[in-house]
Amino acid sequence: MPPSDFKNANIDEIVEKLTTEEAINLIAGVGFWHTHKVERLGIPAVKVSDGPNGIRGNHFFMGTPAKCLPSATALGATFDPELVKTVGLKLIAEEAKLRAASIVLAPTCNIQRNPLGGRSFESFSEDPFLSGIIAAAYVNGVQSGGIGSTIKHFAANDKENERFGYDSIVSPRALREIYLMPFMLAQKYANPWAYMTAYNKLNGLHCSENPTLLRDILRKEWKFDGMVMSDWFGTYDVAGGVNAGLDLEMPGTNKWRTLEYAGRSLQAKKITVRTIKERAKNVLNLVQKCAQGAPEILDGDGEERTLESEEDKELMRKVAAESIVLMKNTNNLLPLNPKSLKKVAIVGGNAKAFVVSGGGSAALKTSYFVSPFQGISDVLAGDNVEVTYAEGARTFMNLPTLENELYTADGRKGWIGTWHSHTSDDSMEPIEEPIADRYIDETRMFISTSTPPGITKRWTLRVKGFLKVERSTKFEFGLTTAGRAKLYVDGNLVIDNWTRQRRGDSFFGTGTVEETGVYDLVGGKEHEVYVEYLNVRGPADGDEDEQLMDSNPGVRLGGAPVQDPEEAMAEAVALAKGADVVIAVVGLNADWETEGYDRTTLALPGRTDELISKLVQTNPKTVVVTQSGSAITLPWIDEVPALVHAWYLGNPTGASIADVLFGKHNPSGKLSLTFPKREEDVPSFGHFHTEAGRIRYAEDLYVGYKHYQHRNITPLFAFGHGLSYTTFSLSNLNISKPTVADGELSATATVTVKNTGNVVGSQVVQLYVTLPKTSLLTHPELQLKAFGKVKDLAPGQEQEVTLRLDKYAVSYWGETLDTWVVERGSYGVSVGFASDAIALRGTFEVEKGFEWNGL
Ligand code: BGC
């Protein structure tokens, strides 16, 4: 019988037949990515995979080359649910099939309380409505391809430091209206097959054992009938999760739900077999959906594959371009016309760097990558424009990885690793004879579970390659490890990250800080680079424990020539002087913005700000392109004529940036989050960090633009902002009289958008609602409740846009009543092309108020 036969199984009968042991096995994963299979009953295992900007597959280490999509903030910036749905189907569901995964661990639907949040890039927006609508589109796209979507992290997982234990203290109203709203909308419009609980506590209780969240809200109120899984190692006991409604513990390594622990909980009557079977039934229902949705995966060979059609590449390039935001464009400096250029200076640490996505579980191995330098040069090559390049100022946090610089004895890019068992599981002595060797084309080796079979518990990895530089230079190496490691060059010890260590944030918080060492490389000479790694953490001040890294072993080698910052800056300025235009590409990368820790500043790294100021003083025709997944501060903004914000865009990065810079694509992206002038202006400033493990969500409802409006603080760039190469007008706001029946409300607003400029362009109409001032409650002044995108409007052409309003547009959460409330009264409607560019205002009346629950 093929495994997919399970699609016809009678789940109730199977649950009846399950032994207690089988039921316990079913409610925890197997390895990192699979569910448990029970051959006796024909129950297949299914595979899950991250998520959300692509599908990584099984391996963090030497993973399968994949499509990397724009970060979620970028997808949010498209304000285009139709496009995001297509992405879900064509680039996520199809990609999951190539990776033999039935379920994707995406989308991430948390909220940017503060752009410093390490994973801000991974969620769609600071606005709950935009987040929810885009999330629903994503889920619908994925699930229409027969692949399950796991919406995450449920809920209030809005920062990274101390993420396993912090307690998000959120008022019931803010919880409902802000933090649960994206999930609620996705639930209403897309019904995800699965939810992933957040690591943190919510109002005193961990989310993975929180009955209010999992039972009362999710299952009872929202009628969710799918499966709930924990985040990885985010299950903290047996009974709490089982009783609250956590169906599946993930992963299956180092798990709580073993026969022993679950058995003891049963014996102590903390849980019952009946509850375990309820949990198991939800797992089985999910497995059945997988068998029905994409049976070919279950019946397939399980191999991970890479495949890209030209059509896929075009779509990726288009989505990336659609998300780019034209922030500023004085005197229409952009788009650039290559025909009128002779010399272009490309400057900045991000221009040639590999910057595709934020870091952590969102990171994956891309199948191809176009750097900004490459994308821009490709366009200019056609017109024989001279392109020069200088780094100017460094933007990386850790020294860049060296896979493209190292080579093997037989001339391949990368190096060769040999794995060595030890003389016993507990021994620190490696056996000389390797048990496996492997060609490795990466120098960030997050080995995770990818160790050779049969290896002892403690093991050693030795990696060797060669490095040659053109000109003699002092070269700085960096070595980071979860375990312990040493670097030798030409047999000389250059870095000892072994004997004494300094704990850091690397490798999901289990690794060290980056230790560095400098070595003189001789031009033209072949230098041998050798790293010895052991999967046991070394002693550190304040923590002498030599812990075995059984889940997250890793080592990372980086390096770059030692640079004189003054010389680097002077070189860039000199290039700028003689150029017709300067394109500066600067920003963050996956080390600055990542899972595991938060950023400590909104400022761009190192001397970037100084560089931009110097460039623009030297050459007023300086276009700045910024890359970051969330907000950054831009102190030079008044000096520069043009700014393009390019998020993290995945494989086609440079091609899409060039499409916008040279006008092949007329930008229409809108900021999915506010860019503040300074950190102190951010709503959660002063209470973003934990105090004794607690985080007070003291800004309450005033998240994002709602705060800036409430306090009358002018941001650097407002939520919803984004320019175009054409201009638009907005007129004729008509709002229908709402109809109210059976606890539902329905009204429409129509407006006319006209392209008043000279080129074809797209525009986003944003509708904000103001709740009536009839109650004793305070409401944010404007709340996004509808939006629509007019696509490819020709010059002079106009189009009517219809925006639908329902009960969500007029409701607030009544804390004392524990219900959604719609008040009788007059509602304000503000329509514009940005939250700070309201062009039309109107009102509508709700004649009879009502209350509601559910969705
Ligand atoms: C992340 C999840 C991810 C999981 C599996 C966790 O560290 O928080 O978002 O899906 O790992 O990689």
Side-chain angles (χ1 to χ4, degrees), residues 32-33 49-52 56 60 105-106 108 119 122 152-153 157 160 163-164 196 199 230-232 360-362 508 595:
F32 246 58
W33 309 116
S49 193
D50 284 311
R56 187 183 51 247
F60 284 101
L105 305 173
T108 309
R119 282 179 107 167
E122 221 186 294
K152 66 189 189 183
H153 310 88
N157 181 181
E160 288 298 289
R163 62 184 178 158
F164 293 101
M196 186 190 292
Y199 281 129
S230 72
D231 199 347
W232 269 232
S361 58
F508 295 86
E595 185 173 335

PDB file of all heavy atoms in Angstrom, residues 32-33 49-52 56 60 105-106 108 119 122 152-153 157 160 163-164 196 199 230-232 360-362 508 595, ligand 1:
ATOM      1  N   PHE A  32      14.638  16.100  13.447  1.00  0.00           N
ATOM      2  CA  PHE A  32      14.356  17.536  13.441  1.00  0.00           C
ATOM      3  C   PHE A  32      13.093  17.902  12.679  1.00  0.00           C
ATOM      4  O   PHE A  32      12.452  18.896  12.985  1.00  0.00           O
ATOM      5  CB  PHE A  32      15.559  18.279  12.838  1.00  0.00           C
ATOM      6  CG  PHE A  32      16.258  19.141  13.839  1.00  0.00           C
ATOM      7  CD1 PHE A  32      16.783  18.585  14.996  1.00  0.00           C
ATOM      8  CD2 PHE A  32      16.372  20.506  13.651  1.00  0.00           C
ATOM      9  CE1 PHE A  32      17.418  19.371  15.941  1.00  0.00           C
ATOM     10  CE2 PHE A  32      17.003  21.300  14.591  1.00  0.00           C
ATOM     11  CZ  PHE A  32      17.531  20.736  15.736  1.00  0.00           C
ATOM     12  N   TRP A  33      12.752  17.115  11.649  1.00  0.00           N
ATOM     13  CA  TRP A  33      11.749  17.621  10.702  1.00  0.00           C
ATOM     14  C   TRP A  33      10.592  16.674  10.416  1.00  0.00           C
ATOM     15  O   TRP A  33       9.791  16.963   9.525  1.00  0.00           O
ATOM     16  CB  TRP A  33      12.432  17.977   9.369  1.00  0.00           C
ATOM     17  CG  TRP A  33      13.634  18.862   9.530  1.00  0.00           C
ATOM     18  CD1 TRP A  33      14.922  18.533   9.223  1.00  0.00           C
ATOM     19  CD2 TRP A  33      13.679  20.219  10.022  1.00  0.00           C
ATOM     20  NE1 TRP A  33      15.763  19.592   9.493  1.00  0.00           N
ATOM     21  CE2 TRP A  33      15.024  20.631   9.981  1.00  0.00           C
ATOM     22  CE3 TRP A  33      12.706  21.108  10.491  1.00  0.00           C
ATOM     23  CZ2 TRP A  33      15.433  21.905  10.398  1.00  0.00           C
ATOM     24  CZ3 TRP A  33      13.120  22.374  10.900  1.00  0.00           C
ATOM     25  CH2 TRP A  33      14.458  22.761  10.855  1.00  0.00           C
ATOM     26  N   SER A  49       9.138  21.915   6.853  1.00  0.00           N
ATOM     27  CA  SER A  49      10.357  22.638   6.494  1.00  0.00           C
ATOM     28  C   SER A  49      10.174  24.148   6.629  1.00  0.00           C
ATOM     29  O   SER A  49       9.104  24.685   6.340  1.00  0.00           O
ATOM     30  CB  SER A  49      10.761  22.272   5.057  1.00  0.00           C
ATOM     31  OG  SER A  49      12.061  22.721   4.807  1.00  0.00           O
ATOM     32  N   ASP A  50      11.245  24.845   7.045  1.00  0.00           N
ATOM     33  CA  ASP A  50      11.215  26.319   7.113  1.00  0.00           C
ATOM     34  C   ASP A  50      11.247  26.874   5.704  1.00  0.00           C
ATOM     35  O   ASP A  50      11.937  26.334   4.834  1.00  0.00           O
ATOM     36  CB  ASP A  50      12.483  26.837   7.829  1.00  0.00           C
ATOM     37  CG  ASP A  50      12.386  26.638   9.329  1.00  0.00           C
ATOM     38  OD1 ASP A  50      11.367  27.010   9.895  1.00  0.00           O
ATOM     39  OD2 ASP A  50      13.349  26.117   9.914  1.00  0.00           O
ATOM     40  N   GLY A  51      10.637  27.919   5.461  1.00  0.00           N
ATOM     41  CA  GLY A  51       9.871  28.949   6.095  1.00  0.00           C
ATOM     42  C   GLY A  51      10.697  30.138   6.620  1.00  0.00           C
ATOM     43  O   GLY A  51      11.832  29.971   6.900  1.00  0.00           O
ATOM     44  N   PRO A  52      10.151  31.384   6.467  1.00  0.00           N
ATOM     45  CA  PRO A  52       9.050  31.753   5.567  1.00  0.00           C
ATOM     46  C   PRO A  52       9.496  32.286   4.200  1.00  0.00           C
ATOM     47  O   PRO A  52       8.692  32.316   3.285  1.00  0.00           O
ATOM     48  CB  PRO A  52       8.372  32.885   6.344  1.00  0.00           C
ATOM     49  CG  PRO A  52       9.444  33.478   7.186  1.00  0.00           C
ATOM     50  CD  PRO A  52      10.490  32.417   7.422  1.00  0.00           C
ATOM     51  N   ARG A  56      14.020  25.636   3.006  1.00  0.00           N
ATOM     52  CA  ARG A  56      15.415  25.223   3.162  1.00  0.00           C
ATOM     53  C   ARG A  56      15.605  23.730   2.967  1.00  0.00           C
ATOM     54  O   ARG A  56      16.640  23.291   2.471  1.00  0.00           O
ATOM     55  CB  ARG A  56      15.925  25.638   4.544  1.00  0.00           C
ATOM     56  CG  ARG A  56      17.423  25.401   4.715  1.00  0.00           C
ATOM     57  CD  ARG A  56      17.909  25.743   6.118  1.00  0.00           C
ATOM     58  NE  ARG A  56      17.099  25.100   7.090  1.00  0.00           N
ATOM     59  CZ  ARG A  56      16.283  25.721   7.935  1.00  0.00           C
ATOM     60  NH1 ARG A  56      16.207  27.031   7.934  1.00  0.00           N
ATOM     61  NH2 ARG A  56      15.544  25.057   8.786  1.00  0.00           N
ATOM     62  N   PHE A  60      20.590  22.539   7.494  1.00  0.00           N
ATOM     63  CA  PHE A  60      21.217  23.848   7.652  1.00  0.00           C
ATOM     64  C   PHE A  60      22.614  23.792   7.030  1.00  0.00           C
ATOM     65  O   PHE A  60      23.152  24.788   6.590  1.00  0.00           O
ATOM     66  CB  PHE A  60      21.381  24.178   9.144  1.00  0.00           C
ATOM     67  CG  PHE A  60      20.108  24.591   9.814  1.00  0.00           C
ATOM     68  CD1 PHE A  60      19.386  23.714  10.609  1.00  0.00           C
ATOM     69  CD2 PHE A  60      19.629  25.887   9.656  1.00  0.00           C
ATOM     70  CE1 PHE A  60      18.232  24.115  11.238  1.00  0.00           C
ATOM     71  CE2 PHE A  60      18.465  26.292  10.292  1.00  0.00           C
ATOM     72  CZ  PHE A  60      17.766  25.405  11.082  1.00  0.00           C
ATOM     73  N   LEU A 105       6.794  25.737   7.518  1.00  0.00           N
ATOM     74  CA  LEU A 105       6.763  26.414   8.818  1.00  0.00           C
ATOM     75  C   LEU A 105       6.703  27.917   8.558  1.00  0.00           C
ATOM     76  O   LEU A 105       7.666  28.647   8.757  1.00  0.00           O
ATOM     77  CB  LEU A 105       7.990  26.019   9.630  1.00  0.00           C
ATOM     78  CG  LEU A 105       8.160  24.502   9.802  1.00  0.00           C
ATOM     79  CD1 LEU A 105       9.478  24.163  10.474  1.00  0.00           C
ATOM     80  CD2 LEU A 105       6.987  23.923  10.605  1.00  0.00           C
ATOM     81  N   ALA A 106       5.578  28.368   8.093  1.00  0.00           N
ATOM     82  CA  ALA A 106       5.411  29.760   7.674  1.00  0.00           C
ATOM     83  C   ALA A 106       3.927  29.998   7.408  1.00  0.00           C
ATOM     84  O   ALA A 106       3.205  29.043   7.152  1.00  0.00           O
ATOM     85  CB  ALA A 106       6.214  30.024   6.411  1.00  0.00           C
ATOM     86  N   THR A 108       5.391  33.777   9.279  1.00  0.00           N
ATOM     87  CA  THR A 108       5.595  34.376  10.593  1.00  0.00           C
ATOM     88  C   THR A 108       4.713  35.613  10.671  1.00  0.00           C
ATOM     89  O   THR A 108       4.746  36.450   9.785  1.00  0.00           O
ATOM     90  CB  THR A 108       7.073  34.782  10.772  1.00  0.00           C
ATOM     91  OG1 THR A 108       7.890  33.664  10.444  1.00  0.00           O
ATOM     92  CG2 THR A 108       7.361  35.217  12.202  1.00  0.00           C
ATOM     93  N   ARG A 119      14.016  39.455  14.696  1.00  0.00           N
ATOM     94  CA  ARG A 119      13.269  38.800  13.616  1.00  0.00           C
ATOM     95  C   ARG A 119      12.238  39.710  12.977  1.00  0.00           C
ATOM     96  O   ARG A 119      11.325  39.211  12.298  1.00  0.00           O
ATOM     97  CB  ARG A 119      12.564  37.554  14.157  1.00  0.00           C
ATOM     98  CG  ARG A 119      13.467  36.397  14.317  1.00  0.00           C
ATOM     99  CD  ARG A 119      12.726  35.204  14.885  1.00  0.00           C
ATOM    100  NE  ARG A 119      12.503  34.192  13.883  1.00  0.00           N
ATOM    101  CZ  ARG A 119      12.101  32.956  14.172  1.00  0.00           C
ATOM    102  NH1 ARG A 119      11.874  32.612  15.408  1.00  0.00           N
ATOM    103  NH2 ARG A 119      11.920  32.064  13.207  1.00  0.00           N
ATOM    104  N   GLU A 122      11.109  39.151   9.524  1.00  0.00           N
ATOM    105  CA  GLU A 122      10.422  37.900   9.211  1.00  0.00           C
ATOM    106  C   GLU A 122       8.899  37.992   9.290  1.00  0.00           C
ATOM    107  O   GLU A 122       8.193  37.076   8.909  1.00  0.00           O
ATOM    108  CB  GLU A 122      10.927  36.842  10.200  1.00  0.00           C
ATOM    109  CG  GLU A 122      11.172  35.504   9.579  1.00  0.00           C
ATOM    110  CD  GLU A 122      11.525  34.448  10.604  1.00  0.00           C
ATOM    111  OE1 GLU A 122      12.599  34.559  11.228  1.00  0.00           O
ATOM    112  OE2 GLU A 122      10.733  33.503  10.782  1.00  0.00           O
ATOM    113  N   LYS A 152       2.904  31.145  12.489  1.00  0.00           N
ATOM    114  CA  LYS A 152       3.732  31.188  13.696  1.00  0.00           C
ATOM    115  C   LYS A 152       4.099  32.627  14.029  1.00  0.00           C
ATOM    116  O   LYS A 152       3.962  33.490  13.165  1.00  0.00           O
ATOM    117  CB  LYS A 152       4.996  30.339  13.500  1.00  0.00           C
ATOM    118  CG  LYS A 152       5.967  30.864  12.427  1.00  0.00           C
ATOM    119  CD  LYS A 152       7.076  29.860  12.132  1.00  0.00           C
ATOM    120  CE  LYS A 152       8.145  30.460  11.242  1.00  0.00           C
ATOM    121  NZ  LYS A 152       9.201  29.527  10.861  1.00  0.00           N
ATOM    122  N   HIS A 153       4.540  32.992  15.198  1.00  0.00           N
ATOM    123  CA  HIS A 153       4.638  32.190  16.405  1.00  0.00           C
ATOM    124  C   HIS A 153       3.554  32.706  17.310  1.00  0.00           C
ATOM    125  O   HIS A 153       3.571  33.881  17.681  1.00  0.00           O
ATOM    126  CB  HIS A 153       6.000  32.334  17.042  1.00  0.00           C
ATOM    127  CG  HIS A 153       7.127  32.134  16.041  1.00  0.00           C
ATOM    128  ND1 HIS A 153       7.657  33.136  15.276  1.00  0.00           N
ATOM    129  CD2 HIS A 153       7.804  31.008  15.685  1.00  0.00           C
ATOM    130  CE1 HIS A 153       8.623  32.658  14.500  1.00  0.00           C
ATOM    131  NE2 HIS A 153       8.729  31.378  14.732  1.00  0.00           N
ATOM    132  N   ASN A 157       5.505  36.993  20.288  1.00  0.00           N
ATOM    133  CA  ASN A 157       6.935  36.670  20.211  1.00  0.00           C
ATOM    134  C   ASN A 157       7.575  37.771  19.349  1.00  0.00           C
ATOM    135  O   ASN A 157       7.884  37.581  18.202  1.00  0.00           O
ATOM    136  CB  ASN A 157       7.075  35.294  19.552  1.00  0.00           C
ATOM    137  CG  ASN A 157       8.517  34.826  19.420  1.00  0.00           C
ATOM    138  OD1 ASN A 157       8.750  33.739  18.893  1.00  0.00           O
ATOM    139  ND2 ASN A 157       9.482  35.603  19.870  1.00  0.00           N
ATOM    140  N   GLU A 160      13.781  38.871  20.448  1.00  0.00           N
ATOM    141  CA  GLU A 160      14.576  37.646  20.484  1.00  0.00           C
ATOM    142  C   GLU A 160      15.339  37.407  21.783  1.00  0.00           C
ATOM    143  O   GLU A 160      15.381  36.273  22.262  1.00  0.00           O
ATOM    144  CB  GLU A 160      15.555  37.636  19.301  1.00  0.00           C
ATOM    145  CG  GLU A 160      14.861  37.406  17.973  1.00  0.00           C
ATOM    146  CD  GLU A 160      14.170  36.068  17.939  1.00  0.00           C
ATOM    147  OE1 GLU A 160      14.831  35.029  17.888  1.00  0.00           O
ATOM    148  OE2 GLU A 160      12.928  36.041  17.980  1.00  0.00           O
ATOM    149  N   ARG A 163      14.321  34.749  24.505  1.00  0.00           N
ATOM    150  CA  ARG A 163      13.016  34.403  23.925  1.00  0.00           C
ATOM    151  C   ARG A 163      12.340  33.175  24.532  1.00  0.00           C
ATOM    152  O   ARG A 163      11.130  33.035  24.466  1.00  0.00           O
ATOM    153  CB  ARG A 163      13.134  34.226  22.416  1.00  0.00           C
ATOM    154  CG  ARG A 163      14.064  33.100  22.001  1.00  0.00           C
ATOM    155  CD  ARG A 163      14.177  33.067  20.506  1.00  0.00           C
ATOM    156  NE  ARG A 163      15.092  32.044  20.049  1.00  0.00           N
ATOM    157  CZ  ARG A 163      15.081  31.529  18.844  1.00  0.00           C
ATOM    158  NH1 ARG A 163      14.201  31.949  17.967  1.00  0.00           N
ATOM    159  NH2 ARG A 163      15.947  30.617  18.481  1.00  0.00           N
ATOM    160  N   PHE A 164      13.122  32.270  25.117  1.00  0.00           N
ATOM    161  CA  PHE A 164      12.485  31.069  25.680  1.00  0.00           C
ATOM    162  C   PHE A 164      11.713  31.357  26.962  1.00  0.00           C
ATOM    163  O   PHE A 164      10.877  30.572  27.375  1.00  0.00           O
ATOM    164  CB  PHE A 164      13.533  29.990  25.970  1.00  0.00           C
ATOM    165  CG  PHE A 164      14.163  29.445  24.733  1.00  0.00           C
ATOM    166  CD1 PHE A 164      15.418  29.863  24.321  1.00  0.00           C
ATOM    167  CD2 PHE A 164      13.486  28.525  23.950  1.00  0.00           C
ATOM    168  CE1 PHE A 164      15.992  29.369  23.169  1.00  0.00           C
ATOM    169  CE2 PHE A 164      14.049  28.028  22.790  1.00  0.00           C
ATOM    170  CZ  PHE A 164      15.307  28.450  22.391  1.00  0.00           C
ATOM    171  N   MET A 196       2.048  27.243  15.066  1.00  0.00           N
ATOM    172  CA  MET A 196       3.234  26.979  15.889  1.00  0.00           C
ATOM    173  C   MET A 196       3.194  27.933  17.074  1.00  0.00           C
ATOM    174  O   MET A 196       3.005  29.138  16.898  1.00  0.00           O
ATOM    175  CB  MET A 196       4.516  27.213  15.097  1.00  0.00           C
ATOM    176  CG  MET A 196       5.778  26.819  15.869  1.00  0.00           C
ATOM    177  SD  MET A 196       7.317  27.369  15.066  1.00  0.00           S
ATOM    178  CE  MET A 196       7.315  26.354  13.604  1.00  0.00           C
ATOM    179  N   TYR A 199       7.813  30.800  21.700  1.00  0.00           N
ATOM    180  CA  TYR A 199       8.687  30.340  22.783  1.00  0.00           C
ATOM    181  C   TYR A 199       8.331  30.947  24.139  1.00  0.00           C
ATOM    182  O   TYR A 199       8.519  30.340  25.172  1.00  0.00           O
ATOM    183  CB  TYR A 199      10.128  30.767  22.487  1.00  0.00           C
ATOM    184  CG  TYR A 199      10.864  29.920  21.479  1.00  0.00           C
ATOM    185  CD1 TYR A 199      11.524  30.498  20.400  1.00  0.00           C
ATOM    186  CD2 TYR A 199      10.933  28.544  21.631  1.00  0.00           C
ATOM    187  CE1 TYR A 199      12.237  29.723  19.494  1.00  0.00           C
ATOM    188  CE2 TYR A 199      11.646  27.763  20.721  1.00  0.00           C
ATOM    189  CZ  TYR A 199      12.290  28.360  19.651  1.00  0.00           C
ATOM    190  OH  TYR A 199      12.995  27.595  18.768  1.00  0.00           O
ATOM    191  N   SER A 230       4.714  22.831  18.689  1.00  0.00           N
ATOM    192  CA  SER A 230       5.553  23.763  19.447  1.00  0.00           C
ATOM    193  C   SER A 230       6.638  24.306  18.538  1.00  0.00           C
ATOM    194  O   SER A 230       6.958  23.714  17.506  1.00  0.00           O
ATOM    195  CB  SER A 230       6.200  23.060  20.626  1.00  0.00           C
ATOM    196  OG  SER A 230       7.202  22.177  20.181  1.00  0.00           O
ATOM    197  N   ASP A 231       7.210  25.433  18.936  1.00  0.00           N
ATOM    198  CA  ASP A 231       8.437  25.855  18.273  1.00  0.00           C
ATOM    199  C   ASP A 231       9.544  24.903  18.714  1.00  0.00           C
ATOM    200  O   ASP A 231       9.400  24.170  19.704  1.00  0.00           O
ATOM    201  CB  ASP A 231       8.768  27.317  18.611  1.00  0.00           C
ATOM    202  CG  ASP A 231       9.743  27.906  17.602  1.00  0.00           C
ATOM    203  OD1 ASP A 231      10.340  27.136  16.822  1.00  0.00           O
ATOM    204  OD2 ASP A 231       9.912  29.146  17.589  1.00  0.00           O
ATOM    205  N   TRP A 232      10.655  24.942  17.986  1.00  0.00           N
ATOM    206  CA  TRP A 232      11.723  23.956  18.198  1.00  0.00           C
ATOM    207  C   TRP A 232      12.346  24.099  19.590  1.00  0.00           C
ATOM    208  O   TRP A 232      12.895  25.131  19.935  1.00  0.00           O
ATOM    209  CB  TRP A 232      12.745  24.088  17.075  1.00  0.00           C
ATOM    210  CG  TRP A 232      12.433  23.199  15.900  1.00  0.00           C
ATOM    211  CD1 TRP A 232      13.302  22.326  15.317  1.00  0.00           C
ATOM    212  CD2 TRP A 232      11.196  23.041  15.193  1.00  0.00           C
ATOM    213  NE1 TRP A 232      12.675  21.634  14.303  1.00  0.00           N
ATOM    214  CE2 TRP A 232      11.399  22.045  14.204  1.00  0.00           C
ATOM    215  CE3 TRP A 232       9.924  23.604  15.294  1.00  0.00           C
ATOM    216  CZ2 TRP A 232      10.380  21.631  13.332  1.00  0.00           C
ATOM    217  CZ3 TRP A 232       8.917  23.198  14.426  1.00  0.00           C
ATOM    218  CH2 TRP A 232       9.150  22.229  13.472  1.00  0.00           C
ATOM    219  N   GLY A 360      19.053  33.108  10.838  1.00  0.00           N
ATOM    220  CA  GLY A 360      18.314  32.169  11.681  1.00  0.00           C
ATOM    221  C   GLY A 360      17.626  31.127  10.840  1.00  0.00           C
ATOM    222  O   GLY A 360      18.126  30.739   9.777  1.00  0.00           O
ATOM    223  N   SER A 361      16.461  30.683  11.285  1.00  0.00           N
ATOM    224  CA  SER A 361      15.808  29.589  10.561  1.00  0.00           C
ATOM    225  C   SER A 361      15.259  30.052   9.212  1.00  0.00           C
ATOM    226  O   SER A 361      14.876  29.235   8.383  1.00  0.00           O
ATOM    227  CB  SER A 361      14.710  28.962  11.409  1.00  0.00           C
ATOM    228  OG  SER A 361      13.757  29.932  11.763  1.00  0.00           O
ATOM    229  N   ALA A 362      15.216  31.363   8.977  1.00  0.00           N
ATOM    230  CA  ALA A 362      14.771  31.860   7.663  1.00  0.00           C
ATOM    231  C   ALA A 362      15.865  31.717   6.614  1.00  0.00           C
ATOM    232  O   ALA A 362      15.598  31.754   5.419  1.00  0.00           O
ATOM    233  CB  ALA A 362      14.359  33.327   7.780  1.00  0.00           C
ATOM    234  N   PHE A 508      22.201  30.347  17.072  1.00  0.00           N
ATOM    235  CA  PHE A 508      20.961  30.346  17.853  1.00  0.00           C
ATOM    236  C   PHE A 508      21.243  30.467  19.354  1.00  0.00           C
ATOM    237  O   PHE A 508      20.575  29.860  20.185  1.00  0.00           O
ATOM    238  CB  PHE A 508      20.111  29.099  17.575  1.00  0.00           C
ATOM    239  CG  PHE A 508      19.585  29.021  16.172  1.00  0.00           C
ATOM    240  CD1 PHE A 508      20.330  28.467  15.148  1.00  0.00           C
ATOM    241  CD2 PHE A 508      18.321  29.515  15.869  1.00  0.00           C
ATOM    242  CE1 PHE A 508      19.849  28.401  13.854  1.00  0.00           C
ATOM    243  CE2 PHE A 508      17.833  29.457  14.571  1.00  0.00           C
ATOM    244  CZ  PHE A 508      18.589  28.898  13.561  1.00  0.00           C
ATOM    245  N   GLU A 595      17.388  35.750  13.920  1.00  0.00           N
ATOM    246  CA  GLU A 595      16.808  35.019  15.036  1.00  0.00           C
ATOM    247  C   GLU A 595      17.880  34.864  16.123  1.00  0.00           C
ATOM    248  O   GLU A 595      19.056  34.708  15.811  1.00  0.00           O
ATOM    249  CB  GLU A 595      16.413  33.645  14.505  1.00  0.00           C
ATOM    250  CG  GLU A 595      15.704  32.790  15.469  1.00  0.00           C
ATOM    251  CD  GLU A 595      15.210  31.505  14.796  1.00  0.00           C
ATOM    252  OE1 GLU A 595      15.000  31.488  13.575  1.00  0.00           O
ATOM    253  OE2 GLU A 595      15.032  30.523  15.520  1.00  0.00           O
TER     254      GLU A 595
HETATM  255  C1  BGC B   1      12.198  29.068  14.942  1.00  0.00           C
HETATM  256  C2  BGC B   1      11.021  28.630  14.100  1.00  0.00           C
HETATM  257  C3  BGC B   1      11.468  27.591  13.101  1.00  0.00           C
HETATM  258  C4  BGC B   1      12.083  26.438  13.853  1.00  0.00           C
HETATM  259  C5  BGC B   1      12.560  25.328  12.955  1.00  0.00           C
HETATM  260  C6  BGC B   1      12.954  27.899  15.529  1.00  0.00           C
HETATM  261  O1  BGC B   1      14.193  28.305  16.012  1.00  0.00           O
HETATM  262  O2  BGC B   1      11.759  29.934  15.962  1.00  0.00           O
HETATM  263  O3  BGC B   1      10.450  29.726  13.451  1.00  0.00           O
HETATM  264  O4  BGC B   1      10.393  27.176  12.309  1.00  0.00           O
HETATM  265  O5  BGC B   1      13.191  26.900  14.586  1.00  0.00           O
HETATM  266  O6  BGC B   1      13.699  25.711  12.284  1.00  0.00           O
END
